Amino acid sequence: MRYGVLFFILPLLLCGCKKEVSREEMALQSAKAYYDQLLHGDCESFLAGQLHGDTVPEDYREQMLLNVQMYREQQSRDHGGLTEVEALRAKGDTAYLSLHYADSTREEIVVPMMERNNTWYMR
């Protein structure tokens, strides 16, 4: 579902009535939401979270989607699959996540983010 990320971000926006959410926090939570979609096998939504992912030619988009699917398969073979995505911190427009795998390994990743029309996308 391409708009699945809105269900993850919507609570942050509603909380904005009580406390202003920083740009860094929005970037961090957006990155986590995209990787949560990957965790749950929603490769289409993960791809939609990439900046300009919706404006590339269809054949290139299909190749990008295949790459995401192959990445998930590789993580499954190598580590038993992704089990959790943890939001660690953000600095500026960069989010830091920890990916937890079934074999108890963890990987910290850096996700460069960019805001466009009040929506955060992965670069």
Side-chain angles (χ1 to χ4, degrees), residues 33-59:
Y34 294 130
Y35 272 85
D36 278 339
Q37 291 169 332
L38 184 64
L39 165 73
H40 297 294
D42 190 353
C43 297
E44 292 273 349
S45 292
F46 178 79
L47 188 60
Q50 293 184 359
L51 186 63
H52 305 298
D54 57 346
T55 60
V56 298
E58 185 60 28
D59 59 334

Side-chain angles (χ1 to χ4, degrees), residues 34-105:
Y34 294 130
Y35 272 85
D36 278 339
Q37 291 169 332
L38 184 64
L39 165 73
H40 297 294
D42 190 353
C43 297
E44 292 273 349
S45 292
F46 178 79
L47 188 60
Q50 293 184 359
L51 186 63
H52 305 298
D54 57 346
T55 60
V56 298
E58 185 60 28
D59 59 334
Y60 182 64
R61 189 187 155 300
E62 288 174 12
Q63 291 174 4
M64 290 171 60
L65 182 59
L66 183 59
N67 285 340
V68 171
Q69 292 167 339
M70 288 188 321
Y71 171 76
R72 283 195 80 236
E73 291 170 10
Q74 177 191 4
Q75 297 308 313
S76 184
R77 279 191 314 273
D78 295 349
H79 301 288
L82 187 60
T83 60
E84 181 184 352
V85 177
E86 180 183 4
L88 298 176
R89 64 191 174 283
K91 184 169 181 167
D93 62 354
T94 302
Y96 297 85
L97 304 176
S98 178
L99 305 182
H100 301 226
Y101 297 99
D103 66 358
S104 299
T105 58

Side-chain angles (χ1 to χ4, degrees), residues 12 21-31 87 89-90 92 120:
L12 286 174
V21 178
S22 71
R23 290 175 45 83
E24 289 178 336
E25 184 64 23
M26 286 298 295
L28 178 62
Q29 292 306 317
S30 296
R89 64 191 174 283
W120 284 91

